[in-house]
Amino acid sequence: MLALSLLAAFAAHAATGPEFDAKRLSQDVKVLSSDEFEGRGPNTAGETKTVAYLIEQFKAAGLKPGGDVVKGQRSWTQDVPLGRFEIKGPVTLSVSDGKTVQPLKQGDDLSVRAAMNGSRLVDFKNAPLVFVGYGVNAPERKWDDFKGQDLKGKLAVVLINDPDFETGEGDFGGKAMTYYGRWTYKYEEMARRGALGTIIVHETAPASYGWNTVKNSNTNVMYDIVRKKPAEAHAPMEAWIQRDLAVDLFKRGGLDFEALKKQAQTRDFKPVELKNVTLSANYAVSAQVIVSKNVAARIVGASAPKETVIYSGHWDHLGVGLPDAKGDKIYNGAVDNGTGIAALLELARAYGKAPAPARSVVFLAVTAEEKGLLGSEYYSANPLYPLATTVGVINMDALSPHGLTRNFTISGSAKLDLLDELIAKAKQWNLVYKPDPKPEAGHFFRSDHFSFAKRGVPAISYGSGDDLVEGGVAAGKKLEDDYTTNNYHQPSDEWSASWTFASMTHDLGMLYALGRDLADSKVWPNWAQDAEFRAARDATAAQRK
């Protein structure tokens, strides 16, 4: 009876706002994640079809083009120049312990990314391996894992996540991941130190995903923003290694992996070389510059058109990659992020039917999120509408296509007015806020809102709840665990006719109301006083008078 009464309450409230159609949501996800769209990889036929579909839907919703200015008129897209990097031909890898040479297999033993430092050939023999703990240099925490270690000509072996992940207590936020824990930071730091390469030891818990995700995300085509000095951001080799193989290599080098891992959780840790253990590699890389597209649609504000509220989501997925056990090579990306884009389109339809708000509202579908938040990073560095007068960003990434929930979350644990307003609004939708249940996964750094947040713009990435009206938290956890284990970044992330989209249909009413309130007000949300992004926002305060 409780479930039925809650359903009735949800339905009654939903009737007071715009209608969001589960069938349209399902159809959008079905189309975007169909094999015809080839996994929506940037710079592919799948991108061409995706961009055309989005423009068609935005036009039908009655929105205006919000992209680059071409011949005095806004177009529907923003050009995003990207470096495209792909391994061509075989990847030859081997490890030696001074006695035997063991060949290694790309994707199974190591997952090696195409070099993004400008090299057309990665070719080295018997490079020494140096364990650098968590690979963190954090002066503000008096933490230095390197202790003056010279990494030139060497491969740095590094742990994923933060030094206090295992214990849950320490200088890096306990279980909550800092940016030092992200693989992007590890790669960047080793490159800054001139390492020949970075090899991250994969462990499922601290990484927050299994080896299949690592394999599928790193062995296909890679992209990056176009850099003047790419070698300063990328070492020649960037790779992950299976934990069991790493443990074996440590043993063959006379070291105890677990003992060193414990040492790495302390300030006293010092880098240590795997004695007599070396790695050789040879693979060719194709590098070129391509142009991908962000898609931008706009509702022009009635009285404050230069002030902008943004709804965002990434349209891309992994494209075509290595086959799974069934031989399927198309990474359809139904949940990630077909759901977020379907939500973006439904919100656009609702705004298109309503009177224009005071401020402008932009619906931004960005490219290359899966390659490192590149589309949102490019927009944030080259904004179509000034960031100083961007009121806030509401991002949607991998929403639940399942049943109604009693709660919601956001990626990460940031403190900002935008979240306070969302929590207050949620009460009208019978939803309560649940802080990010897995702050150790570093979700705050893994979605497109981060590109805006680090530049001071109040930004959140909305997450569906895990307390289902029918089945409770147990049912929600089962769905999430099943998706993470069996479908996330795998070809099996496909549309299902069994999906009800009830949660999305309901929650979109709340996200509409939040954005509409912002667009009809004169309020400028900010970060909490002690938030790391507050200073960047305050620096542009004069432009919001």
Side-chain angles (χ1 to χ4, degrees):
M1 289 297 293
L2 178 61
L4 289 175
S5 64
L6 280 169
L7 285 166
F10 287 145
H13 193 286
T16 64
E19 288 187 11
F20 295 95
D21 191 328
K23 290 183 179 178
R24 278 198 303 261
L25 288 167
S26 182
Q27 179 64 18
D28 284 335
V29 174
K30 183 179 181 180
V31 170
L32 290 165
S33 64
S34 65
D35 282 358
E36 182 184 352
F37 280 62
E38 300 177 10
R40 305 191 305 280
N43 191 43
T44 66
E47 165 165 357
T48 302
K49 291 174 181 176
T50 302
V51 169
Y53 183 81
L54 295 178
I55 293 172
E56 176 188 356
Q57 297 304 314
F58 283 135
K59 281 182 179 177
L63 274 63
K64 302 290 186 183
D68 288 331
V69 175
V70 179
K71 297 180 180 178
Q73 299 291 323
R74 289 278 181 188
S75 63
W76 285 102
T77 61
Q78 178 186 36
D79 282 354
V80 180
L82 297 173
R84 180 188 187 277
F85 309 91
E86 183 177 13
I87 292 176
K88 289 292 188 181
V91 177
T92 304
L93 303 164
S94 65
V95 65
S96 170
D97 58 9
K99 300 174 183 176
T100 60
V101 176
Q102 175 188 349
L104 302 177
K105 189 173 181 181
Q106 162 76 321
D108 290 345
D109 299 315
L110 269 71
S111 285
V112 178
R113 305 187 343 152
M116 291 184 275
N117 70 328
S119 297
R120 298 304 175 105
L121 177 67
V122 177
D123 182 28
F124 58 83
K125 297 188 187 311
N126 300 320
L129 276 64
V130 180
F131 178 57
V132 294
Y134 287 88
V136 172
N137 179 41
E140 76 285 358
R141 290 170 166 87
K142 297 181 173 61
W143 196 283
D144 176 17
D145 281 333
F146 300 97
K147 308 293 194 299
Q149 172 71 50
D150 183 4
L151 292 176
K152 291 181 175 63
K154 300 172 183 176
L155 300 169
V157 180
V158 63
L159 299 169
I160 192 63
N161 216 303
D162 292 320
D164 54 8
F165 170 78
E166 300 282 346
T167 63
E169 297 179 355
D171 298 297
F172 293 84
K175 283 290 185 183
M177 185 191 286
T178 69
Y179 190 61
Y180 294 114
R182 281 289 285 154
W183 55 264
T184 48
Y185 169 79
K186 317 283 185 185
Y187 286 148
E188 291 163 359
E189 185 63 28
M190 303 316 140
R192 281 191 286 267
R193 292 175 178 274
L196 175 62
T198 309
I199 302 177
I200 300 174
V201 179
H202 174 261
E203 295 184 280
T204 298
S208 82
Y209 37 72
W211 181 258
N212 274 342
T213 298
V214 169
K215 175 181 177 179
N216 296 336
S217 302
N218 291 278
T219 56
N220 56 8
V221 179
M222 305 306 299
Y223 293 87
D224 193 17
I225 58 173
V226 177
R227 302 177 187 270
K228 291 181 180 178
K229 297 180 179 179
E232 293 182 358
H234 297 283
M237 171 182 265
E238 296 176 329
W240 290 70
I241 186 172
Q242 288 269 27
R243 180 190 181 279
D244 290 348
L245 176 57
V247 171
D248 179 58
L249 295 183
F250 273 60
K251 185 177 180 181
R252 288 154 72 176
L255 303 172
D256 183 325
F257 176 82
E258 286 298 332
L260 280 170
K261 185 176 173 183
K262 282 189 169 58
Q263 288 182 31
Q265 294 161 14
T266 71
R267 279 188 174 83
D268 297 331
F269 169 81
K270 294 180 180 178
V272 58
E273 187 167 325
L274 280 65
K275 191 175 180 181
N276 295 324
V277 177
T278 59
L279 186 77
S280 300
N282 179 280
Y283 48 93
V285 179
S286 167
Q288 61 186 117
V289 175
I290 60 95
V291 177
S292 189
K293 306 281 188 182
N294 289 334
V295 182
R298 189 177 185 224
I299 298 284
V300 180
S303 58
K306 293 184 179 180
E307 299 173 6
T308 304
V309 174
I310 294 178
Y311 288 98
S312 64
H314 72 92
W315 61 254
D316 68 297
H317 197 55
L318 299 179
V320 178
L322 294 177
D324 63 8
K326 298 178 181 178
D328 189 355
K329 297 192 294 185
I330 297 178
Y331 290 70
N332 303 83
V335 169
D336 184 15
N337 188 32
T339 56
I341 291 299
L344 191 72
L345 293 175
E346 268 296 277
L347 285 164
R349 292 170 186 132
Y351 275 89
K353 292 177 182 177
R359 290 164 158 167
S360 296
V361 181
V362 168
F363 300 85
L364 181 65
V366 296
T367 183
E369 186 271 354
E370 301 291 5
K371 306 303 181 183
L373 315 183
L374 300 182
S376 57
E377 175 67 20
Y378 185 83
Y379 178 97
S380 298
N382 305 273
L384 296 166
Y385 306 95
L387 298 188
T389 50
T390 295
V391 184
V393 175
I394 302 168
N395 187 64
M396 297 162 290
D397 193 347
L399 303 178
S400 169
H402 302 292
L404 290 164
T405 67
R406 299 179 177 89
N407 60 359
F408 74 94
T409 189
I410 65 168
S411 296
S413 52
K415 294 181 287 184
L416 68 169
D417 299 338
L418 197 56
L419 175 59
D420 295 339
E421 292 170 25
L422 179 58
I423 291 171
K425 184 68 64 180
K427 293 177 181 177
Q428 302 171 33
W429 267 260
N430 297 302
L431 290 172
V432 297
Y433 169 61
K434 177 179 180 179
D436 187 343
K438 291 184 178 179
E440 66 273 19
H443 288 125
F444 189 82
F445 314 108
R446 291 168 57 181
S447 206
D448 288 302
H449 71 294
F450 179 60
S451 299
F452 294 92
K454 67 183 181 181
R455 291 174 171 86
V457 181
I460 58 173
S461 190
Y462 186 79
S464 303
D466 63 355
D467 184 3
L468 271 67
V469 169
E470 296 182 358
V473 174
K477 186 176 187 304
K478 186 177 184 302
L479 285 171
E480 182 180 356
D481 290 349
D482 177 68
Y483 175 72
T484 301
T485 302
N486 299 317
N487 301 311
Y488 176 60
H489 281 203
Q490 298 181 52
S492 53
D493 185 3
E494 297 183 316
W495 174 86
S496 172
S498 67
W499 291 346
T500 66
F501 289 89
S503 175
M504 284 176 60
T505 302
H506 171 262
D507 293 7
L508 285 179
M510 177 177 62
L511 295 182
Y512 174 89
L514 174 66
R516 185 81 201 194
D517 282 359
L518 291 173
D520 278 329
S521 76
K522 295 182 179 180
V523 171
W524 294 100
N526 206 335
W527 299 89
Q529 286 289 349
D530 60 346
E532 60 264 51
F533 310 115
R534 175 77 183 224
R537 187 61 165 177
D538 287 350
T540 63
Q543 299 177 55
R544 291 187 291 278
K545 290 181 179 178

